[in-house]
Amino acid sequence: MKINRKVLAIAAATVVVAAGGVGIAYAVGGDSEEQVTGPDADKAAAAAIDQVGGGTVTEVEYQDNDGAGLYEVEVRRDDGSQVEVHLSGGFDTVGTAPDDDAAGNEGEGAGDDD
């Protein structure tokens, strides 16, 4: 009987530790975000450049926000500023925002955010 209680206690402790790890992982990064390549990246890049009136795409990411897909495209404008363009899963513009990650970007010319 003591062996079964030990096994049960170890199994319960393992479950608690695993559940805590899942909770922490969700709290740190609840929505998945991944780099996009291929035709979808090309479509998102073209839509973003059209939205901001030119520039160079530096990154395309796809975020699965609880089932509502959203593309985030970072565009460096010709004046050196950088902006994030947010697109729906159908490549329609949802909003724009200054790229907070870009060094020296003051957000000049950025539109409203979603």
Side-chain angles (χ1 to χ4, degrees):
M1 192 74 138
K2 289 183 180 180
I3 293 175
N4 289 337
R5 286 185 183 180
K6 286 181 182 179
V7 170
L8 183 59
I10 291 170
T14 303
V15 169
V16 168
V17 169
V22 169
I24 291 170
Y26 183 77
V28 170
D31 296 328
S32 66
E33 187 175 287
E34 61 187 57
Q35 296 292 321
V36 180
T37 58
D40 286 343
D42 295 340
K43 290 177 188 176
I49 287 181
D50 186 51
Q51 173 64 30
V52 299
T56 304
V57 171
T58 59
E59 187 173 39
V60 178
E61 296 176 341
Y62 182 79
Q63 299 175 347
D64 183 11
N65 295 327
D66 298 325
L70 183 72
Y71 289 93
E72 183 179 287
V73 183
E74 295 180 9
V75 178
R76 179 168 307 279
R77 293 179 172 156
D78 294 335
D79 67 1
S81 66
Q82 192 154 331
V83 63
E84 293 178 358
V85 180
H86 302 260
L87 305 169
S88 70
F91 306 103
D92 297 316
T93 303
V94 176
T96 60
D99 185 1
D100 297 333
D101 297 335
N105 185 14
E106 301 300 323
E108 183 180 327
D112 60 338
D113 196 9
D114 43 296

